Amino acid sequence: MHELDKAILEVFTGSGGTFAANLRPYLSLVLEIYGAFEIIYRFIQWRKREERKRNLKRSLALTFQKKLDKARNDLEKLADDVSYAFGALFIYSVAIPPFEPKEKARDIIKQLENDYIEMTKSMKELMMLVKKHEKMIVSALELDGTQILLLEGLIEAFEKEKPDIEALTDYLPLIAQEMQKTEKERKAFSLELSKGIGKFNSTSGLIVINHAIGGRYKRCFKKAARHGFKEFSQKFNECRFG
C-alpha cells in the first residue's frame, strides 16, 4: 500500500473515524430536510398556476418562495461546512498541516455552529408557514403517507425555539428513500467537479505531478540519490526515460 494511502486509512480508522461519526448527524439532518424542500417547491409551482388563473394580487407562492430560498441557502451553507470539515480532516491531517492547528480547528467548528443555528431559524419560519397551509399542500399535491409523515415530522421538530432532534429521529428511515431520489443530482455534481478539476489540472500543468508520483518515479529518485549532486539529474532521467 502507498504511504499516502496508509496515512489516509489511519486517519479515517483512528481519530478520524470518531470525527466522521460526529458529522453524521448533520448529514442525516440535511438529507431529511432535503425531501421536504422538494415537496414545498412543487407546491409553489402549483400555487403560482392557481394564482394566475384566479388573478390573485396577494401571492402566497411568493411568500413561500422567499422562505424556501432562505432555508435552502442556509441548509447548503451547513452542507458546505460539513464538506469542508471532511476535506480539512484529509488535507490537514494527512498532507499539509495548518500553520495554526488549534485555531484552524476552532474556526471550522465555529462556522459549523453558526450556520447550524442560522439554518434552524430559517427552517422554523418555513415550517410555521407549512403548518399554516398544510391541508392545502397535502390536497393540492395528493401527497402519500410517507410524504405527509415527513412534513409533519419537520413541523413538529421545528415548532419550538430549539429544534426537537429526538422527534426527527423517528423519521430517519425516510432518509434512505430521499437518497435514492437525489442520485441523479449527486452523480451530476461528482461528474462536473471531476471533469472541471481534471481540465484545470491539464491546462495548468499540474497533471504532471500525478504522472510523477508513480512507482517508477520513486524508484528512479532513490536510485539517483545514491550518486552525487552533479550526477543526480543525469541518473534520474536515465532511469525515468530509459
Side-chain angles (χ1 to χ4, degrees), residues 88-112:
L89 174 66
F90 166 64
I91 294 297
Y92 294 138
S93 298
V94 176
I96 309 164
F99 295 111
E100 300 292 339
K102 290 184 178 180
E103 185 177 337
K104 175 61 72 174
R106 285 193 291 265
D107 287 345
I108 293 171
I109 295 165
K110 189 64 178 174
Q111 188 66 49
L112 189 70

Side-chain angles (χ1 to χ4, degrees), residues 32-41 43-44 60-75 118-134 137 151 154-156 158-160:
E32 195 163 343
I33 292 172
Y34 193 100
F37 284 174
E38 181 188 5
I39 295 170
I40 297 168
Y41 177 75
F43 172 71
I44 291 171
L60 179 62
L62 181 60
T63 303
F64 259 96
Q65 189 71 62
K66 287 179 179 178
K67 299 288 185 184
L68 178 64
D69 288 347
K70 177 69 167 65
R72 284 175 61 172
N73 184 56
D74 290 343
L75 187 70
E118 193 63 30
M119 183 277 296
T120 60
K121 289 179 181 177
S122 58
M123 277 301 298
K124 177 179 169 61
E125 291 183 11
L126 177 62
M127 298 320 293
M128 282 174 63
L129 190 61
V130 169
K131 182 180 181 181
K132 186 177 178 181
H133 301 281
E134 185 182 0
I137 295 171
L151 276 187
L154 289 170
I155 289 170
E156 180 186 355
F158 289 99
E159 271 185 326
K160 299 176 183 177

Side-chain angles (χ1 to χ4, degrees), residues 182-198:
T182 60
E183 183 178 3
K184 181 181 177 181
E185 288 81 1
R186 287 185 281 113
K187 283 185 176 179
F189 169 77
S190 179
L191 181 64
E192 189 65 23
L193 185 65
S194 178
K195 186 170 64 175
I197 292 175

Side-chain angles (χ1 to χ4, degrees), residues 135-146:
K135 288 182 180 179
M136 189 194 303
I137 295 171
V138 172
S139 174
L141 303 181
E142 298 180 348
L143 300 183
D144 60 31
T146 300

Side-chain angles (χ1 to χ4, degrees), residues 24 28-29 33 42 86 104 106 113 145 152 156 165 181 183 189 223 229:
R24 194 181 303 144
S28 299
L29 181 62
I33 292 172
R42 282 171 51 206
F86 268 118
K104 175 61 72 174
R106 285 193 291 265
E113 290 175 348
E152 290 179 346
E156 180 186 355
I165 301 301
K181 291 178 184 177
E183 183 178 3
F189 169 77
K223 187 175 180 180
F229 179 76

